[in-house]
Amino acid sequence: MEICGEKFKVEDTYDSIITIPDCFVLGKNKLGEGHGEAKLYLGSKNTMRAFFGNEGFSAKCFLLKADLLAYLNTLKQEYISPSQEYFGKEVFPSLWKERMHKVNSLSDIVFFEVSDQKQIVGSRGYVNSKSDGYELIRELSLPLVTYVSIMKLSNKSNMPIFYWKLFVDYEIISEKKNGPLVFYYGKKSKQDEIVSPKKEEKSEEYGRARIGQGKYREKLLEECPFCPITMLNEESLLIASHIKPWAVSNDKEKIDPKNGYMFSPLYDKLFDKGFITFTEEKRMLVSNWLSIANQKRLNLKNEFYVPRLPMDEKRKSYLEFHRANVFKG
């Protein structure tokens, strides 16, 4: 991996994805009251220390300006039309512009350090820091819809450094705005094209969603009635995946069958979470943000050719968005 002209070796990726809680974020991002806690929970102490170093470690870390800009651009619609009752919800559109300006003024690499909070009793592992870069994470993160992945790198001197990157959980944003959309996977009647647990006051809105998503799924199955990766053709096990996520698609894109693939559940989740994507040449790309151990467990191979993957000009456009904004590249 090359970052700002310097080459690094990817040693591993932290097994746990860290969802940012409300207690960690600052000011107008908060959902509740209080100033929050600067310490961040990363998992068990044993897991954390196996990755970062022995008890009492101090780890050198960094963020990339380009990643932060991409993250804020991805969240632009959330700032314009918030899915949650943020404390500063009324000023979110102007806040987005302020934060974009601030990030644009940063250096290409933002360094910071985190340290083991060994004084905390129990098995839960926490880090903390007084560095500006760490405070930037607290300032930019939106609770529950932002998560952090951490990659362990080494340079020519074999000195470890930890690459932190902020991501957006599109599925959570969609659920908070619309309620969870649970697709019916077997042979369906008209009323069962999609099942929504939302209450009756949303019935008209979800009635339209049921009809649209039912037709969306039918069109995908007509074009490719199997998962192009596994060749699984049991309809009840296939999921109609969106390429450009539902949460950031307009009404037309949400029901455009060219904005989708039929995948088996595992590959639907990998694609949805940005751990895999595809090139225009039908090659699967595997994200380094999925740990090496899990890549081996799943037998994922970078540049794997998927000859039956539907591809046309419209899908190429949607995949370009996926590679730029969803894939953890």
Side-chain angles (χ1 to χ4, degrees), residues 66-88:
D67 291 342
L68 296 175
L69 289 173
Y71 163 78
L72 284 173
N73 274 315
T74 301
L75 275 175
K76 185 175 182 179
Q77 189 58 37
E78 177 69 1
Y79 276 86
I80 294 171
S81 177
S83 64
Q84 305 185 93
E85 293 300 320
Y86 303 104
F87 187 74

Side-chain angles (χ1 to χ4, degrees), residues 6 11 35 63 76-77 111 133 151-152 159 170 186 207 210 228 240 255 276-277 300 321:
E6 185 175 357
E11 298 289 349
H35 297 295
L63 300 161
K76 185 175 182 179
Q77 189 58 37
F111 292 101
M151 187 182 295
K152 184 178 183 178
M159 295 296 292
Y170 296 99
R210 279 196 294 270
I255 59 173
I276 62 171
T277 192
L300 293 175
F321 180 93

